[in-house]
Amino acid sequence: MSQQLLRVKDLQVEFKSGSITNKAVNGVSFDLDANESIGIVGESGSGKSVTATSILRLIPNPPGKITGGDIYFKGNNLLEMSNNDIRKVRGNEISMIFQDPSTSLNPVFKVGNQLMESIRTHQNVSKKEAKKKAIEMLELVGIPAPEKRMNMYPHEFSGGMRQRVMIAIALSCNPELLIADEPTTALDVTVQAQILNLMKDLQARLQMSIIMITHDLGVVWETCDKMIVMYAGRVVESGEVKAIYQNPLHPYTWGLLDSQITESQESTEALSAIPGSPPDLSYEIKGCPFADRCPYAQAICYETTPELAEPYQGHAVACHFQTTEQQLERREDAYVDGSTSRS
Amino acid sequence: MEALLEVKDLKKHFPVASTIPFKKSTQSVKAVDGVNFNVYPGETLGVVGESGCGKSTMARLVNQLITPTSGIVHFKGDDLVTMNKETLRETRKKIQMIFQDPYASLDPRISVGELIAEPLVIHNVGDKASRKKRVEELLEIVGLNKRFADRYPHEFSGGQRQRINIARALTINPELVICDEPVSALDVSVQAQVINLLKQLQAEFQLTYIFISHDLNVVRYTCDRIAVMYLGKIVEIGTYEQIYSNPKHPYTKALFSAIPKESPFDDKERIILKGTVPSPLNPPSGCSFHERCPVAIDICSKQEPNVVTTANTHQASCHLIQK
Ligand SMILES: Nc1ncnc2c1ncn2[C@@H]1O[C@H](COP(=O)(O)OP(=O)(O)OP(=O)(O)O)[C@@H](O)[C@H]1O
Ligand SMILES: Nc1ncnc2c1ncn2[C@@H]1O[C@H](COP(=O)(O)OP(=O)(O)OP(=O)(O)O)[C@@H](O)[C@H]1O
Ligand SMILES: [Mg+2]
Ligand SMILES: [Mg+2]
């Protein structure tokens, strides 16, 4: 058995804006072993980024606050660590590729200097060595003419190039845990394939663990061992990637899979889409948070919130109708053209 | 049919700061380097190509957000490059843009409602009440709650912000919408909603789209014609059937073989390209793809290939194509 590296337990995060409290993350739990990778998927606004930034304790406070739960990293509770200690963990043992490139690259400094600075904060190397390593990293993430690019500013890079610079920064410190928040969204498939290969390579070489946040299920199939599906700040399904692919259980997961555009999709037919929009998290949600949009919802779904349970070993789901006692039958037309077809 | 947009030999070369102080640099990034294409009313032209090949730069040139180094951009027969400021302002109403980065493109100090109404205010359309109504209508169209009008961009997730961007681009009923990676920041379920929405709006309002995306499945699904860019040039253009079922350029072939897996059990053969994208600072001689091309011959490193028309509406630039 490999060793447990990270354990997130019942994480709760809130954002306050005036008198409104937004429960962005509401009881998220998962484990991650050394050298293992987990994918986090879920609708926009479901709390994926907030979960990830909580691990590094980088939730802006105010308005945000971690109001409950524990995050153990190598046995230590990150939420109880002193500011000084957590700073040592950040960008060293745990590094993160942020979803928002504009917050992580400073527009007034040259890209090369930012990369070198990051290398030198975490590694005891000379300026010259840092420069060499920086150029090497840019090359590794597929930036052409890296020496020249070192002297350019972020705005002189294309969207995908900026994203790759951030990947280079995150990987330059050989972390034990890499949190990658939509790392390849701005990248075309050829570069994406190259970056994912690079991550897998480093993972094998350094025994690195990865948390991969993405909305691209292809990326999850390609890089992850297990995955969690989030909805409205909660985990609605979790398990091995292959198990979820073969036997997805939650109606939301079905909707996600149906919404994917495949190679055989006819452009004359509308894409299947989940109707409506996610719930406003500043209101108390009664019952299952997905009930409003669920083609299979029954009266009980609007009354009681389903708990995560494991109808199959290692494969959990939070749905009243997916239990050991009873199962739902997946309907092919459930999400056709995004209007609810409730039975 | 008459083209809505006609682009001829469009170029943008960005000067590069010299590394030697006080010495003027002679180098430039040839971000867009001689691009030709037409866009016809009501169609969707897809633009695909590797990161850094010049897609966003081309989009910004079409919209005149940056001035070209040379070349022509005709919109409904009028040249945007030489047009006077006043006329350009009016014409621009008809060309809207959805940007790639949903974070950088929304001013954090302005409420969502004001952001979406902004084009109405700039162009002096309607009164306060009608603007408010339009904002609510647009929020609904893009799948957001009406109440969000009073909130600020930082309170939203990446995907939610992109929907705000789309609402804003649609505010004043444009004719041509340039979508720069409009759905790449969205999760698949919202992506499907937005694509359905863009298609439905297109049919309803006869919109014309230029659709930049690196997701080839999205492009295949949304576009009538596809232009494949490589290092500042269009190397192949054709209908989506032509590009998907009968690609001519070796780069197009490699690109389509790199589509990610459709299942965790999928073991798919990929054409992995040799080396990295060459630098637009110093593009290779001859055909700019020759260094990475699996089938390159002698002439490819020496001479730039001409555009070959292989079939009606299908063109590619490669020495190895037989007419
Ligand atoms: N700084 C903030 N202030 C207020 N609310 C916030 C802040 N950051 C996030 N939120 C809220 O927390 C919720 C979860 O946001 P989060 O960014 O985690 O979503 P996500 O799952 O990463 O979505 P996406 O796929 O769009 O990136 C959202 O409702 C969002 O509005
Ligand atoms: N303002 C600028 N100054 C200097 N170079 C620039 C500037 N804007 C873009 N470039 C360069 O032009 C080239 C093309 O950039 P562009 O943003 O058009 O690429 P893209 O095809 O949109 O890529 P991506 O898919 O990564 O968004 C890149 O080499 C980039 O570094
Ligand atoms: Mg996010
Ligand atoms: Mg771009």
Side-chain angles (χ1 to χ4, degrees):
Chain A
M1 263 225 26
S2 45
Q3 224 190 328
Q4 188 172 76
L5 184 77
L6 181 79
R7 163 161 226 166
V8 176
K9 232 180 94 194
D10 200 24
L11 182 69
Q12 314 261 352
V13 186
E14 294 180 355
F15 287 92
K16 275 206 162 62
S17 144
S19 59
I20 301 169
T21 303
N22 191 341
K23 288 204 81 117
V25 172
N26 195 350
V28 165
S29 304
F30 62 90
D31 300 333
L32 189 64
D33 289 344
N35 203 18
E36 194 179 36
S37 55
I38 188 168
I40 304 184
V41 300
E43 188 142 35
S44 169
S46 61
K48 305 182 295 293
S49 297
V50 171
T51 301
T53 29
S54 298
I55 297 172
L56 287 176
R57 277 190 18 211
L58 287 174
I59 298 289
N61 180 6
K65 192 164 189 247
I66 299 177
T67 53
D70 301 298
I71 301 174
Y72 293 98
F73 179 69
K74 298 201 284 192
N76 301 317
N77 194 341
L78 295 179
L79 300 185
E80 283 166 5
M81 247 178 210
S82 71
N83 286 337
N84 216 4
D85 288 342
I86 189 90
R87 225 171 285 134
K88 283 189 207 136
V89 173
R90 265 182 224 147
N92 216 358
E93 289 164 280
I94 307 180
S95 84
M96 178 151 174
I97 301 166
F98 290 91
Q99 184 175 12
D100 177 356
S102 48
T103 57
S104 350
L105 286 178
N106 191 327
V108 302
F109 292 112
K110 289 178 180 164
V111 164
N113 290 352
Q114 297 189 52
L115 189 49
M116 277 162 64
E117 153 127 15
S118 157
I119 292 170
R120 294 197 65 197
T121 337
H122 302 292
Q123 286 171 44
N124 195 6
V125 292
S126 70
K127 235 182 157 153
K128 211 169 141 200
E129 280 170 277
K131 184 168 179 192
K132 202 172 135 240
K133 174 127 203 219
I135 293 173
E136 215 176 276
M137 285 311 298
L138 287 179
E139 186 126 51
L140 268 178
V141 295
I143 302 235
E147 291 93 351
K148 292 214 178 79
R149 292 286 178 181
M150 292 278 285
N151 287 317
M152 292 172 83
Y153 292 91
H155 79 269
E156 298 175 296
F157 279 56
S158 78
M161 285 164 133
R162 278 198 289 268
Q163 205 168 20
R164 280 180 278 166
V165 170
M166 296 190 329
I167 294 170
I169 290 176
L171 292 176
S172 63
C173 61
N174 302 340
E176 284 171 66
L177 172 62
L178 173 71
I179 305 174
D181 194 352
E182 306 277 6
T184 56
T185 36
L187 303 179
D188 57 279
V189 283
T190 52
V191 181
Q192 172 171 309
Q194 194 183 338
I195 296 281
L196 295 180
N197 274 343
L198 172 67
M199 283 185 189
K200 279 194 272 190
D201 238 42
L202 284 172
Q203 179 173 26
R205 232 173 53 210
L206 307 168
Q207 300 280 293
M208 181 172 79
S209 302
I210 299 178
I211 298 178
M212 177 72 76
I213 300 175
T214 176
H215 62 262
D216 186 343
L217 290 167
V219 171
V220 175
W221 307 148
E222 186 116 18
T223 52
C224 300
D225 303 310
K226 55 188 193 182
M227 66 192 282
I228 60 180
V229 182
M230 286 187 69
Y231 189 81
R234 297 162 195 266
V235 176
V236 295
E237 183 161 357
S238 69
E240 301 280 322
V241 163
K242 287 183 177 167
I244 293 186
Y245 179 81
Q246 281 183 312
N247 185 25
L249 295 174
H250 199 282
Y252 172 67
T253 314
W254 295 347
L256 254 172
L257 291 165
D258 286 355
S259 319
Q260 273 199 111
I261 307 177
T262 59
E263 265 170 273
S264 52
Q265 183 93 40
E266 287 294 332
S267 62
T268 44
E269 36 183 85
L271 296 172
S272 298
I274 303 170
S277 46
D280 185 340
L281 299 173
S282 52
Y283 290 79
E284 187 72 42
I285 298 168
K286 200 170 172 218
C288 171
F290 189 58
D292 266 5
R293 307 170 71 190
C294 181
Y296 307 90
Q298 307 274 329
I300 184 180
C301 304
Y302 298 93
E303 291 300 320
T304 4
T305 311
E307 298 289 328
L308 263 183
E310 280 191 22
Y312 303 92
Q313 162 123 51
H315 186 172
V317 61
C319 173
H320 289 300
F321 297 99
Q322 292 284 35
T323 61
T324 12
E325 289 81 44
Q326 59 176 334
Q327 276 96 44
L328 274 177
E329 189 157 343
R330 183 173 173 187
R331 290 204 320 268
E332 224 168 75
D333 62 347
Y335 291 108
V336 168
D337 72 24
S339 59
T340 320
S341 56
R342 212 161 267 173
S343 47
Chain B
M1 195 174 11
E2 194 131 342
L4 181 70
L5 183 78
E6 229 181 317
V7 172
K8 279 206 196 108
D9 205 22
L10 193 62
K11 288 187 183 169
K12 180 71 192 181
H13 297 178
F14 292 106
V16 176
S18 170
T19 39
I20 306 157
F22 307 116
K23 188 167 180 281
K24 206 167 179 271
S25 169
T26 49
Q27 261 196 328
S28 62
V29 175
K30 299 192 173 70
V32 170
D33 199 23
V35 157
N36 296 288
F37 63 91
N38 288 353
V39 186
Y40 299 96
E43 78 164 345
T44 302
L45 175 72
V47 180
V48 301
E50 267 169 320
S51 171
C53 72
K55 303 180 297 292
S56 297
T57 305
M58 191 189 76
R60 289 189 293 152
L61 286 171
V62 168
N63 201 11
Q64 295 292 302
L65 288 173
I66 48 177
T67 35
T69 307
S70 65
I72 292 171
V73 181
H74 280 167
F75 182 74
K76 293 176 135 177
D78 300 323
D79 188 359
L80 299 182
V81 182
T82 52
M83 199 175 262
N84 72 47
K85 271 211 174 98
E86 196 45 43
T87 335
L88 182 63
R89 216 176 77 100
E90 273 306 299
T91 312
R92 268 234 200 99
K93 259 208 248 183
K94 300 280 166 222
I95 309 175
Q96 289 295 317
M97 183 141 174
I98 299 168
F99 290 94
Q100 180 168 6
D101 185 350
Y103 296 95
S105 44
L106 296 174
D107 187 333
R109 292 158 303 185
I110 301 178
S111 79
V112 168
E114 286 169 287
L115 275 167
I116 296 175
E118 200 174 56
L120 296 174
V121 177
I122 292 173
H123 294 288
N124 228 334
V125 185
D127 56 15
K128 218 172 157 192
S130 74
R131 283 175 196 161
K132 184 162 182 269
K133 203 168 145 262
R134 179 76 178 142
V135 167
E136 290 182 349
E137 186 181 297
L138 285 160
L139 281 171
E140 201 133 276
I141 285 178
V142 297
L144 292 171
N145 197 307
K146 282 197 293 217
R147 278 198 305 257
F148 288 175
D150 300 324
R151 300 211 193 154
Y152 290 83
H154 74 266
E155 297 176 49
F156 294 94
S157 70
Q160 290 170 320
R161 286 188 226 191
Q162 193 61 311
R163 288 193 260 181
I164 297 167
N165 266 318
I166 291 170
R168 191 158 71 141
L170 297 175
T171 309
I172 42 172
N173 305 319
E175 288 178 38
L176 175 66
V177 183
I178 307 171
C179 312
D180 190 357
E181 307 274 6
V183 294
S184 51
L186 305 180
D187 60 278
V188 278
S189 53
V190 182
Q191 174 177 300
Q193 282 183 347
V194 170
I195 290 173
N196 283 342
L197 170 75
L198 287 172
K199 278 200 148 188
Q200 175 202 326
L201 291 167
Q202 178 167 42
E204 210 172 313
F205 305 109
Q206 283 87 49
L207 294 177
T208 306
Y209 293 135
I210 294 178
F211 197 100
I212 298 170
S213 176
H214 62 266
D215 186 327
L216 299 171
N217 283 329
V218 168
V219 168
R220 185 190 54 78
Y221 179 76
T222 46
C223 300
D224 303 301
R225 287 192 306 133
I226 295 169
V228 182
M229 277 186 83
Y230 188 80
L231 214 64
K233 295 193 164 80
I234 291 179
V235 295
E236 183 160 2
I237 189 166
T239 65
Y240 91 84
E241 293 99 342
Q242 287 166 337
I243 300 284
Y244 272 81
S245 345
N246 189 17
K248 295 289 183 196
H249 199 285
Y251 174 64
T252 313
K253 292 179 189 170
L255 193 62
F256 285 94
S257 82
I259 295 179
K261 292 186 183 181
E262 284 199 359
S263 111
F265 302 99
D266 188 351
D267 269 323
K268 128 177 197 176
E269 246 336 287
R270 288 213 167 108
I271 307 173
I272 298 276
L273 290 174
K274 296 182 277 185
T276 53
V277 194
S279 165
L281 285 161
N282 191 9
S285 61
C287 169
S288 50
F289 187 58
H290 82 263
E291 290 168 340
R292 302 171 74 200
C293 183
V295 293
I297 50 172
D298 226 19
I299 186 175
C300 303
S301 60
K302 295 184 184 121
Q303 199 181 316
E304 211 186 310
N306 291 326
V307 177
V308 184
T309 305
T310 59
N312 187 20
T313 71
H314 194 177
Q315 295 178 325
S317 311
C318 174
H319 287 298
L320 289 159
I321 298 173
Q322 317 292 318
K323 276 199 204 193

